[in-house]
Amino acid sequence: MKKQNLVKQEIRNIEQRCKRTAHLLFFNFYFLVLILFTACQQKNKKEVIGTETEKTYTCSMHPQIIENHPGTCPICKMDLVLRHQDEVKMEVDASLINLIQPTNETIISNIKTFKVTEQNFGDSLMLNGKVTYNTNNLKTMSSRVGGRVEKLYVKYNFQKVSKGQKIMEIYSPELAAAQQELLYLLAKGDVELLANAKTKLRLLGVEETQINQIIKSKKVNYHIPVYSNSSGYIMDTALSTENDNNSKSMQTENTAITLKEGAYINTGDVIFKVFNDTQLWGEFYVNPNEAVSIKKNQLINITSSDKKITAKIDLIQPYYNEGQNYSVLRVYLNNANQAFKIGEILTGKISFASQKGLWIPNSAVYRLGNRNIVFIKQKNVLKAKEVEFSANSDSNYLISKGLKLNDEIAENASYLIDTESFIKIN
């Protein structure tokens, strides 16, 4: 019995030793895991601290400024930005290819577009113009003798005069001598020489009625009247020369005549010019791109304040003035009944026959110098393309080159352009 108790006691001792050993092993394992976890935490903290200390900051405008902490640039006072330590790489896939195109070649926009279609279109062109002088009806008044202007009866340029109206009176020693010769021969009774003396006075510009008056009064007339040789509007030589130098438009201001009483004139001097107003010009102004579709002898319907007529275009003349290109359309206006007045405003309407083709609105075309640009849509990107047109109207262009049926183009080309843009056309 005693022996059995000793065995049991020994077994209990062994079990207690095993439990103590297990507790000791568990404690050691727990302690070892705790040490390893703490060590890893310290290592990560050191790496983070090391990474932070390696960060540098720079100025985007002045890259020579480098700091190891955030702040402002000492030069421009802009905030410093984090500087990349390694080269940053960016991969571009096909979805971004349109974004990296040159900005002067392509435009990304959701502007309204339309497809080019073939259609019949006939339109009319409205033009503004005015009544002006027909320079082909210009008559000159020249001095047949030299002398001094004693009296002047016209005061302003473009003053209305009639044929036979007294313009001025002159004193001429040559005319006085010719009159004295006529009276001397009249007293002598030499008929043949008297006829020659009358002819001489006629060649010097003296009217037949004036010669008869001299013979009747038997006195020398020292103030010989000068009469207009045509009806119309009178102007002096100074303004006439200015109009010749600036022939694109006739000046019609009622300025004072430069010739004054007391002035001397020489034989052969052009004193005045007279425009006959029985036939006038109607001049209309048109853009060069619109003039290409207008032909000579084409009919134009003209409307003024109270008149409506139809005339043929006689001349299409291009002009360049003060950096502007334009063309002048000229028509002849019959003014025998004095219906038109110089400077009167006219409105012209030219009708065009219907044409079939690729018509697009004017707003879809951007004029770049002497080239015409549209923006064609290609895979959600608008690209500039040059086009040519064969006809146009107030609102549409007939495209002859550069576009084809069902091409999709921007409805408003000017909307896609800013004032500093330079379009590159492929």
Side-chain angles (χ1 to χ4, degrees), residues 401-415:
K401 182 179 179 182
L403 291 177
K404 60 182 183 296
L405 195 66
N406 293 325
D407 277 347
E408 190 171 359
I409 63 175
E411 191 176 78
N412 191 339
S414 299
Y415 180 78

Side-chain angles (χ1 to χ4, degrees), residues 166-198:
K166 186 186 292 187
I167 301 298
M168 63 181 181
E169 294 179 356
I170 65 170
Y171 163 74
S172 171
E174 186 176 359
L175 282 177
Q179 292 178 71
Q180 290 174 348
E181 182 180 355
L182 175 67
L183 295 177
Y184 175 77
L185 295 174
L186 179 62
K188 286 291 186 179
D190 194 329
V191 178
E192 183 177 356
L193 292 179
L194 181 62
N196 293 336
K198 290 181 179 180

